[in-house]
Amino acid sequence: MENIKNYINGNFHNPISNDWIDNYNPSNGNVYGQIPNSSKDDVENAYIAAKSAFPSWSQTTLEERSRILLKISEGIEAHLDELAQAESKDNGKPISLAKAIDIPRASSNFRFFGNAITQFASESHESAGQNAINYTLRQPIGVVGCISPWNLPLYLFTWKIAPALAAGNCVVAKPSEVTPMTAYLLGKICNDAGLPKGVLNIVHGLGTTTGQAIIEHPDIKAISFTGGTATGAHIAKVAAPMFKKLSLELGGKNPNIIFADCDYEDMLATSVRSSFANQGQICLCGSRIFVEQAIYEKFKVDFVEKVKQLKVGHPSESTTNIGALVSKPHLEKVKSYIDIAKKEGGTVLCGGNEVTVSGYENGYYLEPTVIEVTSDECRVNQEEIFGPIVTIMPFKTEDEVLQMANKVKYGLSATLWTNNLKRTMRLSSQIHAGIVWVNTWLMRDLRTPFGGVKASGVGREGGFEALRFFTEPKNVCIKY
Ligand code: TXE
Protein backbone atom coordinates (compact mmCIF):
# COMPACT_ATOMS: atom_id res chain seq x y z
CA MET A 1 0.00 0.00 0.00
CA GLU A 2 1.28 3.48 -0.87
CA ASN A 3 0.25 5.66 2.07
CA ILE A 4 1.07 9.34 1.90
CA LYS A 5 1.41 12.12 4.46
CA ASN A 6 0.94 15.84 4.76
CA TYR A 7 3.92 18.06 3.97
CA ILE A 8 4.05 20.73 6.69
CA ASN A 9 7.03 22.90 7.60
CA GLY A 10 9.28 20.82 5.38
CA ASN A 11 8.45 17.52 7.10
CA PHE A 12 5.95 14.72 6.51
CA HIS A 13 3.18 14.18 9.06
CA ASN A 14 0.22 11.87 9.62
CA PRO A 15 -3.12 13.61 10.14
CA ILE A 16 -3.59 14.59 13.78
CA SER A 17 -7.02 12.93 13.87
CA ASN A 18 -5.53 9.77 12.32
CA ASP A 19 -8.43 9.91 9.85
CA TRP A 20 -7.57 8.32 6.48
CA ILE A 21 -9.33 7.84 3.16
CA ASP A 22 -8.75 5.22 0.48
CA ASN A 23 -6.91 6.08 -2.71
CA TYR A 24 -8.15 4.12 -5.75
CA ASN A 25 -6.34 3.05 -8.89
CA PRO A 26 -8.90 3.80 -11.66
CA SER A 27 -7.33 1.31 -14.08
CA ASN A 28 -8.32 -1.68 -11.92
CA GLY A 29 -10.69 -0.29 -9.29
CA ASN A 30 -8.42 -1.37 -6.43
CA VAL A 31 -7.47 0.64 -3.33
CA TYR A 32 -3.74 1.14 -3.60
CA GLY A 33 -3.08 3.47 -0.70
CA GLN A 34 -4.43 5.75 1.98
CA ILE A 35 -4.27 9.51 2.25
CA PRO A 36 -4.84 11.81 5.23
CA ASN A 37 -8.28 13.29 5.67
CA SER A 38 -6.80 16.34 7.32
CA SER A 39 -8.79 18.30 9.86
CA LYS A 40 -8.88 21.96 10.87
CA ASP A 41 -5.98 21.23 13.22
CA ASP A 42 -3.77 20.01 10.37
CA VAL A 43 -4.70 23.07 8.32
CA GLU A 44 -3.92 25.29 11.33
CA ASN A 45 -0.48 23.70 11.65
CA ALA A 46 0.10 24.27 7.95
CA TYR A 47 -1.01 27.89 8.33
CA ILE A 48 1.30 28.46 11.33
CA ALA A 49 4.24 27.05 9.37
CA ALA A 50 3.41 29.29 6.40
CA LYS A 51 2.96 32.37 8.60
CA SER A 52 6.28 31.74 10.33
CA ALA A 53 8.08 31.39 7.01
CA PHE A 54 6.50 34.47 5.42
CA PRO A 55 8.70 37.30 6.80
CA SER A 56 11.87 35.68 5.53
CA TRP A 57 10.47 34.35 2.24
CA SER A 58 8.79 37.66 1.32
CA GLN A 59 12.13 39.38 1.85
CA THR A 60 14.08 36.82 -0.19
CA THR A 61 15.56 38.52 -3.25
CA LEU A 62 13.88 37.91 -6.61
CA GLU A 63 17.10 36.33 -7.80
CA GLU A 64 17.11 33.82 -4.93
CA ARG A 65 13.41 33.04 -5.33
CA SER A 66 14.00 32.57 -9.04
CA ARG A 67 16.96 30.27 -8.41
CA ILE A 68 14.95 28.02 -6.09
CA LEU A 69 11.92 27.87 -8.40
CA LEU A 70 14.17 26.94 -11.31
CA LYS A 71 15.70 24.17 -9.18
CA ILE A 72 12.19 22.85 -8.41
CA SER A 73 11.52 22.90 -12.15
CA GLU A 74 14.70 20.91 -12.74
CA GLY A 75 13.76 18.51 -9.93
CA ILE A 76 10.39 17.78 -11.55
CA GLU A 77 12.16 17.19 -14.87
CA ALA A 78 14.67 14.86 -13.21
CA HIS A 79 11.79 12.81 -11.75
CA LEU A 80 9.71 12.81 -14.95
CA ASP A 81 9.28 9.03 -15.22
CA GLU A 82 8.44 8.52 -11.53
CA LEU A 83 5.97 11.42 -11.54
CA ALA A 84 4.38 10.34 -14.84
CA GLN A 85 3.90 6.78 -13.57
CA ALA A 86 2.36 8.14 -10.36
CA GLU A 87 0.07 10.52 -12.26
CA SER A 88 -1.11 7.85 -14.68
CA LYS A 89 -1.76 5.39 -11.84
CA ASP A 90 -3.63 7.97 -9.76
CA ASN A 91 -5.73 9.53 -12.53
CA GLY A 92 -6.14 6.73 -15.08
CA LYS A 93 -4.71 8.83 -17.92
CA PRO A 94 -2.45 7.16 -20.49
CA ILE A 95 1.21 7.17 -19.40
CA SER A 96 2.01 8.72 -22.80
CA LEU A 97 -0.09 11.77 -21.88
CA ALA A 98 1.38 12.11 -18.40
CA LYS A 99 4.89 11.95 -19.86
CA ALA A 100 4.23 14.32 -22.77
CA ILE A 101 1.91 16.88 -21.18
CA ASP A 102 1.21 16.72 -17.45
CA ILE A 103 4.67 16.47 -15.93
CA PRO A 104 6.59 18.61 -18.47
CA ARG A 105 4.01 21.36 -17.96
CA ALA A 106 4.41 21.15 -14.18
CA SER A 107 8.13 21.72 -14.70
CA SER A 108 7.39 24.57 -17.13
CA ASN A 109 5.11 26.23 -14.60
CA PHE A 110 7.94 26.58 -12.11
CA ARG A 111 10.44 27.57 -14.81
CA PHE A 112 8.10 30.17 -16.28
CA PHE A 113 7.33 31.90 -12.97
CA GLY A 114 10.94 31.52 -11.78
CA ASN A 115 11.84 33.67 -14.79
CA ALA A 116 8.73 35.89 -14.84
CA ILE A 117 9.28 37.18 -11.31
CA THR A 118 12.62 38.72 -12.35
CA GLN A 119 10.76 40.69 -15.06
CA PHE A 120 7.69 41.65 -13.03
CA ALA A 121 7.68 45.39 -12.34
CA SER A 122 5.23 48.07 -11.30
CA GLU A 123 4.39 51.57 -12.45
CA SER A 124 5.10 55.10 -11.31
CA HIS A 125 3.02 58.17 -12.17
CA GLU A 126 4.39 61.69 -12.10
CA SER A 127 1.68 64.23 -11.18
CA ALA A 128 2.81 66.98 -13.51
CA GLY A 129 2.62 70.51 -12.11
CA GLN A 130 1.96 69.27 -8.62
CA ASN A 131 5.49 68.37 -7.53
CA ALA A 132 4.35 64.86 -6.76
CA ILE A 133 5.39 61.39 -7.79
CA ASN A 134 3.36 58.21 -7.31
CA TYR A 135 4.82 54.77 -7.32
CA THR A 136 3.00 51.44 -7.10
CA LEU A 137 4.20 48.69 -4.81
CA ARG A 138 3.05 45.17 -5.58
CA GLN A 139 3.57 43.37 -2.32
CA PRO A 140 2.99 39.68 -1.51
CA ILE A 141 -0.33 38.99 0.21
CA GLY A 142 0.94 36.67 2.95
CA VAL A 143 -0.44 33.13 3.39
CA VAL A 144 -2.56 32.04 0.43
CA GLY A 145 -4.62 28.89 -0.28
CA CYS A 146 -4.31 26.86 -3.50
CA ILE A 147 -6.92 24.16 -4.17
CA SER A 148 -6.79 22.04 -7.31
CA PRO A 149 -8.77 19.31 -9.11
CA TRP A 150 -8.14 15.74 -10.25
CA ASN A 151 -8.06 16.06 -14.03
CA LEU A 152 -4.56 17.51 -14.52
CA PRO A 153 -3.27 17.01 -10.99
CA LEU A 154 0.36 18.23 -10.88
CA TYR A 155 -0.12 20.49 -13.94
CA LEU A 156 -2.85 22.58 -12.26
CA PHE A 157 -1.44 22.25 -8.71
CA THR A 158 1.86 23.85 -9.78
CA TRP A 159 0.08 26.38 -12.05
CA LYS A 160 -1.15 28.00 -8.83
CA ILE A 161 1.73 27.32 -6.45
CA ALA A 162 4.53 28.59 -8.73
CA PRO A 163 3.23 32.18 -9.12
CA ALA A 164 2.14 32.31 -5.48
CA LEU A 165 5.68 31.45 -4.32
CA ALA A 166 7.34 33.60 -6.99
CA ALA A 167 5.38 36.62 -5.74
CA GLY A 168 6.74 36.05 -2.23
CA ASN A 169 3.73 34.41 -0.59
CA CYS A 170 3.68 31.28 1.55
CA VAL A 171 1.17 28.60 0.59
CA VAL A 172 -1.27 26.13 2.11
CA ALA A 173 -2.13 23.87 -0.82
CA LYS A 174 -4.63 21.02 -1.20
CA PRO A 175 -4.70 18.71 -4.23
CA SER A 176 -7.79 16.69 -5.06
CA GLU A 177 -8.30 13.76 -2.70
CA VAL A 178 -8.89 11.69 -5.84
CA THR A 179 -5.37 12.29 -7.20
CA PRO A 180 -3.00 13.22 -4.35
CA MET A 181 0.12 11.28 -5.30
CA THR A 182 2.17 13.71 -7.40
CA ALA A 183 1.44 16.57 -5.00
CA TYR A 184 2.85 14.37 -2.24
CA LEU A 185 5.97 13.65 -4.33
CA LEU A 186 6.43 17.39 -4.97
CA GLY A 187 7.21 17.96 -1.28
CA LYS A 188 10.53 16.12 -1.37
CA ILE A 189 11.45 17.80 -4.68
CA CYS A 190 10.91 21.18 -2.99
CA ASN A 191 13.06 20.18 -0.02
CA ASP A 192 15.83 18.98 -2.36
CA ALA A 193 15.62 22.28 -4.25
CA GLY A 194 16.24 24.20 -1.02
CA LEU A 195 12.77 25.71 -0.62
CA PRO A 196 12.83 26.94 2.99
CA LYS A 197 10.65 25.08 5.50
CA GLY A 198 7.06 26.28 5.75
CA VAL A 199 7.05 28.25 2.49
CA LEU A 200 4.95 25.53 0.85
CA ASN A 201 2.65 23.24 2.88
CA ILE A 202 0.58 20.47 1.30
CA VAL A 203 -2.42 19.07 3.20
CA HIS A 204 -4.51 16.20 1.87
CA GLY A 205 -8.15 15.40 2.39
CA LEU A 206 -11.76 15.80 1.34
CA GLY A 207 -13.04 19.11 0.05
CA THR A 208 -15.72 19.25 2.71
CA THR A 209 -13.23 18.84 5.56
CA THR A 210 -9.73 19.91 4.54
CA GLY A 211 -10.71 22.20 1.68
CA GLN A 212 -13.42 23.80 3.75
CA ALA A 213 -10.94 24.46 6.59
CA ILE A 214 -8.68 26.32 4.16
CA ILE A 215 -11.37 28.52 2.63
CA GLU A 216 -12.83 29.50 6.00
CA HIS A 217 -9.47 30.11 7.70
CA PRO A 218 -9.59 33.79 8.77
CA ASP A 219 -5.92 34.47 8.01
CA ILE A 220 -5.56 32.75 4.63
CA LYS A 221 -6.08 35.91 2.62
CA ALA A 222 -6.53 34.64 -0.95
CA ILE A 223 -7.88 31.47 -2.50
CA SER A 224 -6.89 30.22 -5.94
CA PHE A 225 -9.27 27.41 -6.94
CA THR A 226 -9.80 25.20 -9.96
CA GLY A 227 -12.67 22.76 -10.01
CA GLY A 228 -16.38 22.46 -10.52
CA THR A 229 -18.68 25.44 -10.88
CA ALA A 230 -20.85 24.33 -7.96
CA THR A 231 -17.84 24.14 -5.65
CA GLY A 232 -16.60 27.47 -6.95
CA ALA A 233 -19.94 29.05 -6.03
CA HIS A 234 -19.70 27.54 -2.56
CA ILE A 235 -16.17 28.88 -2.08
CA ALA A 236 -17.29 32.34 -3.18
CA LYS A 237 -20.15 32.26 -0.68
CA VAL A 238 -17.80 31.39 2.18
CA ALA A 239 -14.89 33.62 1.20
CA ALA A 240 -16.67 36.76 -0.04
CA PRO A 241 -17.89 38.00 3.38
CA MET A 242 -14.33 37.40 4.64
CA PHE A 243 -13.09 39.70 1.83
CA LYS A 244 -10.62 37.15 0.54
CA LYS A 245 -9.13 37.57 -2.92
CA LEU A 246 -10.57 34.86 -5.18
CA SER A 247 -9.39 33.25 -8.40
CA LEU A 248 -11.97 30.71 -9.60
CA GLU A 249 -11.24 28.57 -12.67
CA LEU A 250 -14.38 26.50 -13.12
CA GLY A 251 -16.15 24.30 -15.63
CA GLY A 252 -16.69 24.69 -19.34
CA LYS A 253 -18.93 23.51 -22.18
CA ASN A 254 -16.84 24.69 -25.05
CA PRO A 255 -18.01 25.01 -28.69
CA ASN A 256 -15.87 23.62 -31.52
CA ILE A 257 -17.13 25.61 -34.55
CA ILE A 258 -16.17 24.20 -37.95
CA PHE A 259 -16.70 26.08 -41.23
CA ALA A 260 -16.50 24.48 -44.68
CA ASP A 261 -13.46 26.61 -45.65
CA CYS A 262 -11.26 25.11 -42.92
CA ASP A 263 -8.09 23.03 -43.44
CA TYR A 264 -10.09 19.83 -43.26
CA GLU A 265 -7.49 17.19 -42.31
CA ASP A 266 -5.91 19.41 -39.64
CA MET A 267 -9.36 20.21 -38.25
CA LEU A 268 -10.35 16.53 -38.19
CA ALA A 269 -7.22 15.30 -36.39
CA THR A 270 -7.29 18.17 -33.89
CA SER A 271 -11.03 17.76 -33.24
CA VAL A 272 -10.46 14.13 -32.20
CA ARG A 273 -7.86 15.39 -29.72
CA SER A 274 -9.95 18.32 -28.46
CA SER A 275 -12.87 15.92 -27.93
CA PHE A 276 -11.18 13.03 -26.13
CA ALA A 277 -7.77 14.02 -24.74
CA ASN A 278 -7.45 12.95 -21.09
CA GLN A 279 -10.68 10.97 -21.55
CA GLY A 280 -12.46 14.29 -22.21
CA GLN A 281 -11.60 15.37 -18.66
CA ILE A 282 -10.20 18.78 -19.51
CA CYS A 283 -12.25 21.91 -18.85
CA LEU A 284 -11.06 23.17 -22.25
CA CYS A 285 -12.29 20.21 -24.34
CA GLY A 286 -14.48 21.13 -27.30
CA SER A 287 -17.47 19.03 -26.26
CA ARG A 288 -20.07 20.73 -28.47
CA ILE A 289 -19.17 20.35 -32.16
CA PHE A 290 -21.01 22.60 -34.64
CA VAL A 291 -20.32 21.91 -38.33
CA GLU A 292 -21.33 24.06 -41.31
CA GLN A 293 -24.09 22.25 -43.26
CA ALA A 294 -22.05 21.99 -46.46
CA ILE A 295 -19.55 19.58 -44.90
CA TYR A 296 -21.67 18.14 -42.09
CA GLU A 297 -22.41 14.73 -43.64
CA LYS A 298 -18.77 14.28 -44.71
CA PHE A 299 -17.52 15.33 -41.28
CA LYS A 300 -19.95 12.98 -39.53
CA VAL A 301 -18.62 9.95 -41.45
CA ASP A 302 -14.94 10.92 -41.19
CA PHE A 303 -15.04 11.95 -37.53
CA VAL A 304 -16.88 8.78 -36.40
CA GLU A 305 -14.40 6.66 -38.35
CA LYS A 306 -11.44 8.31 -36.63
CA VAL A 307 -13.05 8.07 -33.18
CA LYS A 308 -13.66 4.35 -33.67
CA GLN A 309 -9.90 3.93 -34.19
CA LEU A 310 -9.12 5.26 -30.71
CA LYS A 311 -7.88 2.50 -28.44
CA VAL A 312 -9.40 2.21 -24.97
CA GLY A 313 -6.87 0.39 -22.81
CA HIS A 314 -4.85 0.19 -19.66
CA PRO A 315 -3.10 3.52 -18.97
CA SER A 316 0.30 1.83 -18.82
CA GLU A 317 0.07 0.60 -22.44
CA SER A 318 1.92 2.86 -24.89
CA THR A 319 -0.80 2.13 -27.50
CA THR A 320 -3.61 3.39 -25.26
CA ASN A 321 -5.37 6.55 -26.46
CA ILE A 322 -8.23 6.49 -23.93
CA GLY A 323 -7.40 5.42 -20.39
CA ALA A 324 -9.66 4.99 -17.39
CA LEU A 325 -12.00 7.67 -16.07
CA VAL A 326 -10.86 9.05 -12.75
CA SER A 327 -13.33 7.38 -10.39
CA LYS A 328 -16.34 5.08 -10.25
CA PRO A 329 -18.73 7.90 -9.26
CA HIS A 330 -17.44 10.00 -12.16
CA LEU A 331 -17.85 7.09 -14.60
CA GLU A 332 -21.44 6.67 -13.45
CA LYS A 333 -22.09 10.43 -13.82
CA VAL A 334 -20.65 10.49 -17.35
CA LYS A 335 -22.52 7.31 -18.38
CA SER A 336 -25.82 8.78 -17.18
CA TYR A 337 -25.62 11.42 -19.91
CA ILE A 338 -25.75 8.77 -22.62
CA ASP A 339 -29.22 7.67 -21.47
CA ILE A 340 -30.25 11.31 -21.04
CA ALA A 341 -29.15 12.06 -24.63
CA LYS A 342 -31.14 9.12 -25.99
CA LYS A 343 -34.25 10.17 -24.08
CA GLU A 344 -33.88 13.65 -25.61
CA GLY A 345 -33.81 12.24 -29.15
CA GLY A 346 -30.06 12.09 -29.61
CA THR A 347 -28.45 9.42 -31.77
CA VAL A 348 -25.33 7.63 -30.55
CA LEU A 349 -23.19 7.47 -33.70
CA CYS A 350 -20.38 5.54 -31.97
CA GLY A 351 -19.38 4.48 -28.47
CA GLY A 352 -21.74 4.69 -25.54
CA ASN A 353 -20.62 1.51 -23.78
CA GLU A 354 -18.39 0.66 -20.87
CA VAL A 355 -15.27 -1.25 -21.86
CA THR A 356 -13.89 -4.31 -20.08
CA VAL A 357 -10.12 -4.26 -20.38
CA SER A 358 -8.94 -7.86 -19.93
CA GLY A 359 -7.20 -8.32 -16.63
CA TYR A 360 -8.66 -5.07 -15.34
CA GLU A 361 -12.36 -5.94 -15.19
CA ASN A 362 -13.01 -3.49 -12.34
CA GLY A 363 -11.41 -0.50 -14.05
CA TYR A 364 -13.43 2.57 -15.05
CA TYR A 365 -13.38 2.45 -18.88
CA LEU A 366 -15.82 4.04 -21.35
CA GLU A 367 -15.80 4.14 -25.14
CA PRO A 368 -15.28 7.56 -26.77
CA THR A 369 -18.82 8.55 -27.69
CA VAL A 370 -20.23 10.79 -30.41
CA ILE A 371 -23.87 11.81 -30.11
CA GLU A 372 -25.78 13.58 -32.89
CA VAL A 373 -28.29 15.98 -31.37
CA THR A 374 -31.21 17.76 -33.02
CA SER A 375 -31.25 20.78 -30.70
CA ASP A 376 -28.51 22.78 -29.00
CA GLU A 377 -30.76 23.15 -25.97
CA CYS A 378 -30.76 19.52 -24.84
CA ARG A 379 -29.11 18.71 -21.50
CA VAL A 380 -26.20 16.84 -23.08
CA ASN A 381 -25.44 20.07 -24.97
CA GLN A 382 -25.87 22.39 -22.00
CA GLU A 383 -24.34 20.60 -19.02
CA GLU A 384 -20.66 19.86 -18.38
CA ILE A 385 -20.23 16.09 -18.68
CA PHE A 386 -16.43 16.08 -18.32
CA GLY A 387 -15.91 12.72 -19.99
CA PRO A 388 -15.35 11.13 -23.45
CA ILE A 389 -18.68 12.32 -24.85
CA VAL A 390 -19.18 14.99 -27.53
CA THR A 391 -22.22 16.14 -29.43
CA ILE A 392 -22.37 17.12 -33.10
CA MET A 393 -24.95 19.10 -35.03
CA PRO A 394 -25.01 21.20 -38.23
CA PHE A 395 -25.50 24.94 -38.63
CA LYS A 396 -26.32 27.09 -41.65
CA THR A 397 -25.21 30.62 -40.82
CA GLU A 398 -22.65 32.47 -38.71
CA ASP A 399 -25.38 34.14 -36.66
CA GLU A 400 -27.05 30.80 -35.96
CA VAL A 401 -23.86 29.16 -34.70
CA LEU A 402 -22.84 32.23 -32.68
CA GLN A 403 -26.20 32.17 -30.89
CA MET A 404 -25.87 28.45 -30.12
CA ALA A 405 -22.24 28.79 -29.03
CA ASN A 406 -23.14 31.51 -26.52
CA LYS A 407 -26.37 29.91 -25.31
CA VAL A 408 -24.83 28.04 -22.35
CA LYS A 409 -24.11 29.17 -18.81
CA TYR A 410 -20.38 28.62 -19.31
CA GLY A 411 -17.82 30.76 -21.15
CA LEU A 412 -14.37 29.24 -20.84
CA SER A 413 -12.94 28.54 -24.32
CA ALA A 414 -13.99 28.14 -27.94
CA THR A 415 -12.36 26.66 -31.03
CA LEU A 416 -12.95 28.11 -34.50
CA TRP A 417 -11.97 26.43 -37.78
CA THR A 418 -11.99 28.81 -40.75
CA ASN A 419 -9.57 30.55 -43.10
CA ASN A 420 -11.78 33.60 -43.47
CA LEU A 421 -10.05 36.45 -41.65
CA LYS A 422 -13.03 38.78 -41.26
CA ARG A 423 -15.21 35.94 -39.98
CA THR A 424 -12.46 35.04 -37.49
CA MET A 425 -12.33 38.59 -36.14
CA ARG A 426 -16.14 38.91 -36.03
CA LEU A 427 -16.76 35.65 -34.19
CA SER A 428 -13.76 35.86 -31.85
CA SER A 429 -14.93 39.22 -30.59
CA GLN A 430 -18.53 38.03 -30.01
CA ILE A 431 -18.03 34.57 -28.55
CA HIS A 432 -18.55 34.43 -24.75
CA ALA A 433 -15.23 32.92 -23.73
CA GLY A 434 -11.95 33.79 -22.06
CA ILE A 435 -9.91 31.89 -24.65
CA VAL A 436 -10.56 31.47 -28.40
CA TRP A 437 -8.37 29.09 -30.43
CA VAL A 438 -8.45 29.58 -34.21
CA ASN A 439 -7.24 26.64 -36.35
CA THR A 440 -5.65 25.00 -33.33
CA TRP A 441 -6.51 23.74 -29.83
CA LEU A 442 -4.79 23.89 -26.45
CA MET A 443 -1.82 25.81 -27.84
CA ARG A 444 -0.57 27.54 -24.72
CA ASP A 445 1.68 30.58 -24.22
CA LEU A 446 1.99 30.89 -20.44
CA ARG A 447 2.20 34.69 -20.67
CA THR A 448 -1.42 34.92 -21.82
CA PRO A 449 -4.44 35.47 -19.54
CA PHE A 450 -6.14 32.14 -18.76
CA GLY A 451 -9.70 31.83 -17.51
CA GLY A 452 -13.32 32.22 -18.41
CA VAL A 453 -16.49 34.24 -18.00
CA LYS A 454 -20.02 33.50 -16.77
CA ALA A 455 -20.16 30.15 -14.90
CA SER A 456 -16.57 29.37 -15.96
CA GLY A 457 -15.17 31.52 -13.24
CA VAL A 458 -13.71 34.77 -12.00
CA GLY A 459 -10.25 36.17 -12.59
CA ARG A 460 -7.39 35.07 -14.80
CA GLU A 461 -4.30 32.93 -14.27
CA GLY A 462 -1.12 33.00 -16.31
CA GLY A 463 1.77 35.40 -16.79
CA PHE A 464 1.64 38.74 -15.01
CA GLU A 465 -2.12 38.21 -14.40
CA ALA A 466 -1.17 35.52 -11.90
CA LEU A 467 1.55 37.64 -10.30
CA ARG A 468 -0.92 40.51 -9.95
CA PHE A 469 -3.45 38.15 -8.35
CA PHE A 470 -0.87 37.01 -5.81
CA THR A 471 0.23 40.56 -4.89
CA GLU A 472 -1.52 43.61 -3.42
CA PRO A 473 -0.95 46.90 -5.25
CA LYS A 474 -0.25 49.92 -3.03
CA ASN A 475 0.07 53.46 -4.38
CA VAL A 476 2.56 55.72 -2.62
CA CYS A 477 2.26 59.42 -3.45
CA ILE A 478 5.16 61.71 -2.50
CA LYS A 479 4.98 65.50 -2.71
CA TYR A 480 8.32 67.34 -3.02
O1 TXE B 1 -14.47 19.09 -8.53
P1 TXE B 1 -14.57 19.77 -7.13
P2 TXE B 1 -14.44 17.58 -8.84
C1 TXE B 1 -15.81 19.84 -13.04
C2 TXE B 1 -16.27 18.58 -13.70
C3 TXE B 1 -16.43 17.64 -12.55
C4 TXE B 1 -16.94 18.57 -11.48
C5 TXE B 1 -16.64 18.04 -10.11
O2 TXE B 1 -17.53 18.79 -14.31
O3 TXE B 1 -17.36 16.62 -12.81
O4 TXE B 1 -16.21 19.77 -11.66
O5 TXE B 1 -15.29 17.60 -10.15
C6 TXE B 1 -11.99 20.70 -3.48
N1 TXE B 1 -14.06 23.78 0.07
N2 TXE B 1 -14.37 19.98 -13.04
O6 TXE B 1 -15.16 16.69 -7.90
O7 TXE B 1 -15.51 19.14 -6.19
C7 TXE B 1 -11.82 19.25 -3.83
O8 TXE B 1 -11.36 18.51 -2.71
C8 TXE B 1 -12.82 23.76 -0.46
C9 TXE B 1 -13.82 21.03 -13.84
O9 TXE B 1 -12.98 17.37 -9.01
O10 TXE B 1 -14.77 21.16 -7.50
C10 TXE B 1 -10.78 19.33 -4.93
O11 TXE B 1 -9.49 19.47 -4.39
N3 TXE B 1 -12.41 22.87 -1.40
C11 TXE B 1 -12.44 21.39 -13.36
C12 TXE B 1 -11.19 20.60 -5.65
O12 TXE B 1 -12.00 21.34 -4.75
C13 TXE B 1 -13.32 21.99 -1.85
C14 TXE B 1 -11.58 20.19 -13.20
C15 TXE B 1 -12.02 20.33 -6.90
O13 TXE B 1 -13.10 19.53 -6.50
C16 TXE B 1 -14.65 21.95 -1.37
C17 TXE B 1 -12.24 19.21 -12.38
C18 TXE B 1 -15.00 22.89 -0.36
N4 TXE B 1 -16.22 22.92 0.20
C19 TXE B 1 -13.62 19.13 -12.33
N5 TXE B 1 -15.30 20.94 -2.03
C20 TXE B 1 -11.73 22.33 -14.30
N6 TXE B 1 -12.20 23.55 -14.37
O14 TXE B 1 -10.75 21.95 -14.89
C21 TXE B 1 -14.42 20.40 -2.89
N7 TXE B 1 -13.22 21.00 -2.77
Side-chain angles (χ1 to χ4, degrees):
M1 291 283 267
E2 297 179 40
N3 296 345
I4 65 175
K5 300 185 174 202
N6 289 331
Y7 171 68
I8 298 175
N9 207 32
N11 298 306
F12 293 92
H13 301 273
N14 291 332
I16 294 165
S17 61
N18 206 29
D19 183 12
W20 300 83
I21 42 184
D22 290 337
N23 190 20
Y24 286 82
N25 176 338
S27 72
N28 58 26
N30 296 335
V31 173
Y32 83 98
Q34 293 231 299
I35 84 167
N37 186 27
S38 304
S39 64
K40 270 188 171 189
D41 295 337
D42 300 297
V43 168
E44 181 60 20
N45 284 348
Y47 167 73
I48 289 167
K51 186 170 188 305
S52 310
F54 178 66
S56 166
W57 180 249
S58 58
Q59 291 308 309
T60 303
T61 62
L62 300 186
E63 190 183 356
E64 177 62 2
R65 275 185 231 161
S66 171
R67 189 187 66 77
I68 292 171
L69 263 64
L70 293 176
K71 278 188 76 65
I72 294 172
S73 170
E74 289 157 16
I76 291 172
E77 232 164 49
H79 292 85
L80 173 69
D81 287 342
E82 177 196 6
L83 289 166
Q85 296 286 348
E87 201 74 294
S88 174
K89 184 173 182 179
D90 227 7
N91 172 276
K93 67 179 68 203
I95 184 69
S96 56
L97 189 67
K99 275 186 177 168
I101 304 294
D102 291 72
I103 307 309
R105 173 61 190 275
S107 176
S108 300
N109 288 341
F110 273 102
R111 185 179 315 111
F112 176 84
F113 285 105
N115 291 321
I117 194 61
T118 64
Q119 306 304 312
F120 186 53
S122 56
E123 317 75 54
S124 69
H125 303 82
E126 184 182 10
S127 303
Q130 293 177 285
N131 292 350
I133 179 78
N134 300 269
Y135 63 89
T136 303
L137 295 172
R138 292 191 181 278
Q139 299 175 308
I141 294 168
V143 179
V144 300
C146 296
I147 299 174
S148 58
W150 47 253
N151 60 321
L152 300 164
L154 196 60
Y155 175 131
L156 290 175
F157 194 57
T158 55
W159 182 231
K160 297 171 182 305
I161 290 169
L165 297 181
N169 300 287
C170 290
V171 175
V172 176
K174 191 195 86 70
S176 171
E177 61 279 17
V178 181
T179 53
M181 192 51 75
T182 46
Y184 165 66
L185 296 173
L186 179 66
K188 186 174 181 311
I189 291 172
C190 288
N191 281 350
D192 294 348
L195 188 70
K197 291 178 179 306
V199 171
L200 171 63
N201 304 278
I202 300 170
V203 285
H204 297 274
L206 298 173
T208 47
T209 45
T210 316
Q212 184 70 20
I214 293 171
I215 64 170
E216 60 188 27
H217 192 292
D219 299 316
I220 294 179
K221 300 288 183 199
I223 301 289
S224 175
F225 169 78
T226 295
T229 292
T231 305
H234 169 79
I235 291 173
K237 205 181 297 175
V238 170
M242 300 173 85
F243 303 107
K244 293 179 188 236
K245 248 182 138 175
L246 281 181
S247 166
L248 301 172
E249 296 302 330
L250 308 178
K253 189 72 179 181
N254 312 303
N256 178 6
I257 303 168
I258 301 167
F259 284 91
D261 74 330
C262 68
D263 294 337
Y264 190 82
E265 291 309 321
D266 186 13
M267 173 280 296
L268 193 61
T270 307
S271 293
V272 172
R273 205 163 52 84
S274 64
S275 299
F276 300 109
N278 203 42
Q279 299 66 248
Q281 297 167 145
I282 300 176
C283 54
L284 300 164
C285 279
S287 51
R288 294 184 290 149
I289 303 177
F290 298 104
V291 184
E292 191 171 11
Q293 189 65 61
I295 58 166
Y296 180 70
E297 292 304 326
K298 173 176 172 51
F299 174 82
K300 192 161 85 168
V301 170
D302 294 343
F303 184 62
V304 166
E305 187 189 325
K306 280 220 178 265
V307 172
K308 284 181 173 173
Q309 291 164 15
L310 293 174
K311 182 176 180 290
V312 180
H314 192 273
S316 64
E317 296 292 332
S318 59
T319 54
T320 292
N321 306 114
I322 307 280
L325 271 68
V326 75
S327 69
K328 185 76 177 165
H330 189 60
L331 171 66
E332 295 309 319
K333 168 194 167 184
V334 172
K335 267 174 50 188
S336 72
Y337 277 94
I338 297 165
D339 296 334
I340 290 167
K342 288 174 184 169
K343 286 195 184 91
E344 291 184 318
T347 307
V348 177
L349 300 179
C350 67
N353 306 298
E354 278 195 71
V355 175
T356 301
V357 172
S358 66
Y360 305 99
E361 284 66 20
N362 295 324
Y364 317 135
Y365 300 97
L366 186 64
E367 289 176 322
T369 302
V370 181
I371 300 175
E372 183 176 50
V373 292
T374 52
S375 153
D376 67 300
E377 297 186 348
C378 57
R379 282 185 62 191
V380 75
N381 231 33
Q382 291 292 312
E383 298 172 17
E384 185 178 47
I385 300 171
F386 217 66
I389 297 180
V390 296
T391 62
I392 67 169
M393 66 181 289
F395 69 87
K396 293 186 177 63
T397 68
E398 221 179 270
D399 284 347
E400 180 196 2
V401 74
L402 180 62
Q403 296 307 319
M404 293 197 288
N406 286 341
K407 210 194 307 172
V408 287
K409 70 175 190 174
Y410 297 101
L412 185 53
S413 71
T415 307
L416 184 53
W417 290 94
T418 180
N419 284 307
N420 177 321
L421 178 61
K422 286 186 180 176
R423 170 191 287 154
T424 298
M425 309 305 279
R426 271 196 309 272
L427 282 175
S428 299
S429 71
Q430 297 177 82
I431 286 174
H432 299 168
I435 302 140
V436 180
W437 279 293
V438 181
N439 299 333
T440 187
W441 177 71
L442 208 56
M443 182 174 281
R444 291 283 294 115
D445 181 322
L446 303 189
R447 294 170 298 175
T448 57
F450 180 87
V453 295
K454 302 195 303 189
S456 291
V458 174
R460 294 294 184 272
E461 296 182 300
F464 288 163
E465 299 275 346
L467 294 176
R468 287 203 179 95
F469 173 75
F470 283 115
T471 52
E472 281 297 351
K474 178 188 292 175
N475 177 46
V476 180
C477 175
I478 301 174
K479 186 156 172 43
Y480 52 85

